[in-house]
């Protein structure tokens, strides 16, 4: 008589993240590893942390998060080593932490897991090789898995580190009880796409036009954050400011919305966006979804990822009543409308044996010119040791000022350059 397998114990998981969307991805991915996962968090002191509201929306209590230097992170992991460390940072940050942990040579290091917060539509090679060296790299769809395997194999990296999963925030629609509610169109805004004031004004004007054409509908502009909160990408021209510009011309059925995208989708009948990951959430739930073509179909804005989905549409199409439904085969190929997730079993398998030394893809042998600047941005030397405070370690205030300066420069370029061209044409 065979006995049933013992339930595996809940792993302890530490998350290292920076912005709101990366915290959300990492926390929800961690909770999928085990129903009773024990969770904690770290934030490098190089960046401003998300607000308590953003962290609560991501699913973690702010009190569970410690702000640390790179040296402090190593000390914390040595003193209280979690079973798993989920790194939710940009590619350069992932490579820096991999070098930091490899050089630290912890006696009992955590299993290192990383991946991508959303759909991967550009810089596949660059981003993947910066994450190479982690024990597990999550691939969010069969399509991603195939592309990642090709890249890693071509670079001489064992693709066995890849694990097929799905985006952790792809929830299911909740039962609706408000049968008398109005048809709702939700526009999912993005901070950096499109990036010009003119294009963002165009979006607001077309949403207002759609609301006027369809007074029987509610039209929502879903914002990523409230004023003053830090998000993953700079937002030069907030939609709520552009909407106020309409003044008395703003139709009464057009308004802004802030909150969890999953909750908003529970009351959405048509999701419209340029290329937001919200489109993947909507398609997964079976919500009609439109990826706008008004700015072209381009890799740089992300909507090219949805070629073949049947969801590319223009505002003219939407005004005429279009409500695109995604092609089922395309959706499954891109990890949507499916529950396949091999990540938990792969992590459990690796935790059952010894872990080899970490080996980041880039080394001082194959990337001598790249590493000092790349790792230095995160307070790590090219040899993986933490930079001392007086030794060129990035200053958080200086980093914030430079980020603000870059944002102001982009805004100025978008406004000043067209004006100068007009003057030159006089």
């Amino acid at each position: 008589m065979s006995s049933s397998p013992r339930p595996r114990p809940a792993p302890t998981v530490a998350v290292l993240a920076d912005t709101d969307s990366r915290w959300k991805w990492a926390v929800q991915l961690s909770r999928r590893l085990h129903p009773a996962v024990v969770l904690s968090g770290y934030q490098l002191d190089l960046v401003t942390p998300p607000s308590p509201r953003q962290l609560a929306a991501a699913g973690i209590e702010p009190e569970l998060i410690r702000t640390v230097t790179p040296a402090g992170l190593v000390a914390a992991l040595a003193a209280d080593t979690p079973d798993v460390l989920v790194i939710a940072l940009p590619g350069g940050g992932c490579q820096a932490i991999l070098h930091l942990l490899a050089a630290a040579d912890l006696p009992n290091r955590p299993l290192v897991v990383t991946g991508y917060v959303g759909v991967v539509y550009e810089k596949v090679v660059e981003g993947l090789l910066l994450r190479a060296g982690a024990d597990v790299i999550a691939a969010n769809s069969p399509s991603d898995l195939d592309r990642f395997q090709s890249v890693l194999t071509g670079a001489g990296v064992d693709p066995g580190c890849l694990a097929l999963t799905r985006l952790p925030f792809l929830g299911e629609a909740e039962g609706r009880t408000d049968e008398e509610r109005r048809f709702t169109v939700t526009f999912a805004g993005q901070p950096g796409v499109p990036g010009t004031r003119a294009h963002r004004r165009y979006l607001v004007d077309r949403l207002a036009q759609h609301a006027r054409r369809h007074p029987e509908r509610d039209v929502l502009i879903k914002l990523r954050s409230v004023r003053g909160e830090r998000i993953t990408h700079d937002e030069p021209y907030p939609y709520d400011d552009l909407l106020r510009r309409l003044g008395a011309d703003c139709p009464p059925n057009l308004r802004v919305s802030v909150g969890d995208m999953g909750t908003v989708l529970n009351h959405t009948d048509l999701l419209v966006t340029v290329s937001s990951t919200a489109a993947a959430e909507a398609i997964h739930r079976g919500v009609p979804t439109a990826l706008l073509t008004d700015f072209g179909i381009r890799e740089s804005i992300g909507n090219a990822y949805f070629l073949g989905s049947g969801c590319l549409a223009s505002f003219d199409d939407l005004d005429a009543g279009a409500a695109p439904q995604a092609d089922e085969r395309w959706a499954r190929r891109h990890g949507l409308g499916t529950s396949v997730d091999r990540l938990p079993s792969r992590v459990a398998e690796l935790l059952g044996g010894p872990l080899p030394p970490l080996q980041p893809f880039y080394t001082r042998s194959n990337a001598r010119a790249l590493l000092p600047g790349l790792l230095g941005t995160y307070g790590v030397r090219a040899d993986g040791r933490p930079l001392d405070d007086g030794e060129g370690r990035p200053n958080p205030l200086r980093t914030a000022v430079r980020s603000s300066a870059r944002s102001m420069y982009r805004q100025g370029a978008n406004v000043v350059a067209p004006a100068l061209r007009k003057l030159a044409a006089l």
Side-chain angles (χ1 to χ4, degrees), residues 316-353:
D316 285 356
D317 297 327
L318 302 181
D319 286 345
Q325 286 279 5
D327 178 82
E328 289 186 9
R329 288 180 298 177
W330 182 94
R332 287 195 299 271
R333 178 75 182 143
H334 290 79
L336 308 176
T338 176
S339 59
V340 173
D341 186 2
R342 297 172 188 159
L343 182 64
S345 60
R346 179 58 178 154
V347 168
E349 177 188 355
L350 291 174
L351 288 177

Side-chain angles (χ1 to χ4, degrees), residues 170-229:
L170 296 179
E172 306 301 330
E174 298 176 2
R176 299 183 178 183
T177 58
D178 49 348
E179 297 298 334
E180 300 302 318
R181 67 177 182 80
R182 287 157 56 89
F183 187 100
T184 300
V185 177
T186 298
F187 172 74
Q190 298 164 261
V193 179
T196 70
R197 182 182 180 86
H199 282 175
R200 294 170 82 84
R201 285 183 62 175
Y202 171 86
L203 282 170
V204 170
D205 289 341
R206 289 305 301 259
L207 289 166
Q209 178 180 315
H210 186 82
R212 296 187 194 101
R213 284 176 177 267
H214 295 277
E216 77 285 359
R217 296 182 171 186
D218 285 331
V219 180
L220 304 180
I221 300 177
K222 168 64 173 65
L223 305 181
R224 278 285 310 279
S225 62
V226 298
R227 190 172 300 278
E229 291 180 334

Side-chain angles (χ1 to χ4, degrees), residues 80-315:
D80 186 12
T81 308
D83 296 314
V84 180
L85 174 66
V86 178
I87 302 177
L89 297 173
C94 290
Q95 187 74 187
I97 300 304
L98 289 172
H99 277 271
L100 183 72
L101 296 180
D105 194 24
L106 299 174
N108 295 299
R109 73 170 180 86
L111 178 78
V112 178
V113 177
T114 190
Y116 291 85
V117 172
V119 299
V120 185
Y121 61 85
E122 63 177 354
K123 299 182 179 179
V124 177
V125 174
E126 180 178 337
L128 187 58
L129 293 183
L130 288 172
R131 290 167 172 82
D135 298 298
V136 180
I137 301 176
N140 296 326
S141 70
S143 174
D144 281 354
L145 183 64
D146 287 348
R147 288 191 299 163
F148 292 177
Q149 286 175 335
S150 177
V151 170
L152 293 181
T153 301
V157 178
D158 182 0
C161 62
L162 299 172
L164 178 62
T165 183
R166 61 189 181 95
L167 288 168
F169 43 77
L170 296 179
E172 306 301 330
E174 298 176 2
R176 299 183 178 183
T177 58
D178 49 348
E179 297 298 334
E180 300 302 318
R181 67 177 182 80
R182 287 157 56 89
F183 187 100
T184 300
V185 177
T186 298
F187 172 74
Q190 298 164 261
V193 179
T196 70
R197 182 182 180 86
H199 282 175
R200 294 170 82 84
R201 285 183 62 175
Y202 171 86
L203 282 170
V204 170
D205 289 341
R206 289 305 301 259
L207 289 166
Q209 178 180 315
H210 186 82
R212 296 187 194 101
R213 284 176 177 267
H214 295 277
E216 77 285 359
R217 296 182 171 186
D218 285 331
V219 180
L220 304 180
I221 300 177
K222 168 64 173 65
L223 305 181
R224 278 285 310 279
S225 62
V226 298
R227 190 172 300 278
E229 291 180 334
R230 180 176 180 270
I231 51 180
T232 304
H233 302 287
D234 293 333
E235 183 160 18
Y237 309 105
Y239 284 112
D240 48 345
D241 289 348
L242 297 174
L243 186 63
R244 279 192 289 271
R245 177 188 60 85
L246 296 179
D249 291 332
C250 181
N253 56 330
L254 173 63
R255 64 183 189 277
V256 298
S257 172
V258 178
D260 175 65
M261 177 56 74
T263 302
V264 173
L265 285 175
N266 285 333
H267 306 281
T268 293
D269 299 282
L270 173 62
L271 190 283
V272 181
T273 186
V274 177
S275 62
S276 171
T277 303
E281 294 185 64
I283 291 171
H284 180 75
R285 291 166 174 252
V287 176
T289 304
L291 282 300
L292 292 171
T293 62
D294 293 56
F295 308 108
I297 301 173
R298 298 181 287 149
E299 290 90 346
S300 60
I301 63 175
N303 58 358
Y305 177 88
F306 294 88
L307 282 169
S309 68
C311 291
L312 295 167
S314 68
F315 262 118

